[in-house]
């Protein structure tokens, strides 16, 4: 049969309180240091992200300005690349590229740090090449048309002159 234990004496023992102890060893703060390092890394990451977003916003603004200038450079009814026909297209490429380079330099002046400048140059370089190619093709086509028109004009003039002077013989 089971037996029930009996408690004859107190279960808690009395002992004297010791003298206060002092240790020269610092408490372990490695967790605190790691926490501070993580917070610092987080702040730096947030700063970098905010700077990157600000850079992107500025570059988008400069891109819009470049788009507007390039459209005007190509399609302006009075001065655009495609408005210059025949003899008026002489030196078209160099005129267009010098205007484009001036505008791109102006846009670079609006950047605030070397990273923005580098990203802007990277963005504008292929655009400049494309516009240069378009201007060269248009100038070449117009020069060919001008030469053909000039040759046809000389031929027509010679035929008319010969027809008028045929009666003199």
């Amino acid at each position: 049969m089971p037996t029930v234990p009996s408690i004859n004496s107190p279960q808690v023992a009395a002992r004297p309180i010791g003298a206060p102890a002092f240790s020269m060893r610092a408490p372990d703060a490695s967790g605190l240091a790691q926490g501070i390092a993580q917070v610092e890394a987080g702040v730096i990451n947030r700063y970098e992200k905010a700077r990157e977003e600000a850079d992107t916003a500025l570059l988008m603004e400069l891109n819009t300005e470049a788009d507007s200038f390039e459209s005007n450079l190509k399609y302006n009814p009075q001065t655009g690349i495609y408005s210059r026909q025949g003899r008026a297209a002489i030196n078209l490429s160099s005129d267009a590229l010098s205007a484009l380079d001036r505008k791109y330099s102006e846009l670079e002046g609006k950047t605030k740090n070397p990273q923005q400048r580098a990203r802007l140059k990277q963005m504008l370089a292929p655009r400049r090449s494309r516009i240069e190619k378009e201007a060269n093709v248009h100038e070449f086509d117009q020069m060919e048309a001008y030469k053909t028109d000039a040759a046809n004009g000389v031929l027509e003039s010679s035929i008319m002159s010969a027809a008028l002077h045929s009666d003199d013989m």
Side-chain angles (χ1 to χ4, degrees):
M1 168 154 262
T3 61
V4 178
S6 66
I7 301 176
N8 298 332
S9 65
Q11 296 292 317
V12 178
R15 81 184 164 125
I17 296 178
F22 179 73
S23 171
M24 291 297 289
R25 195 171 55 122
D28 181 18
S30 61
L32 179 63
Q34 288 175 347
I36 290 173
Q38 287 175 346
V39 168
E40 181 180 14
V43 168
I44 290 171
N45 287 341
R46 279 210 157 151
Y47 170 77
E48 288 297 322
K49 185 177 179 184
R51 188 182 59 79
E52 183 72 25
E53 288 172 355
D55 288 356
T56 300
L58 176 65
L59 290 174
M60 288 170 64
E61 180 181 321
L62 296 177
N63 183 52
T64 301
E65 193 172 335
D67 281 344
S68 174
F69 180 81
E70 290 166 7
S71 291
N72 187 52
L73 181 69
K74 291 194 291 188
Y75 304 114
N76 184 301
Q78 286 79 31
T79 61
I81 290 172
Y82 296 114
S83 298
R84 292 172 66 175
Q85 305 290 319
R87 185 175 181 191
I90 295 174
N91 294 325
L92 169 71
S93 297
S94 61
D95 293 347
L97 289 177
S98 62
L100 191 64
D101 289 339
R102 281 192 305 274
K103 183 61 175 182
Y104 285 178
S105 293
E106 177 188 323
L107 294 176
E108 282 181 34
K110 294 180 179 184
T111 59
K112 295 175 179 34
N113 60 49
Q115 292 86 3
Q116 289 174 347
R117 233 175 324 285
R119 285 178 62 191
L120 181 66
K121 285 181 179 182
Q122 183 181 13
M123 180 180 70
L124 296 178
R127 294 166 70 144
R128 185 187 188 283
S129 296
R130 186 184 58 221
I131 290 173
E132 180 179 21
K133 180 182 174 192
E134 290 176 19
N136 284 336
V137 167
H138 183 71
E139 182 177 0
F140 178 79
D141 290 346
Q142 291 305 309
M143 289 298 97
E144 290 299 310
Y146 174 66
K147 287 190 268 182
T148 300
D149 289 347
N152 288 341
V154 168
L155 181 61
E156 193 174 307
S157 176
S158 295
I159 290 172
M160 288 179 87
S161 178
L164 289 174
H165 290 33
S166 66
D167 295 340
D168 292 346
M169 293 192 188

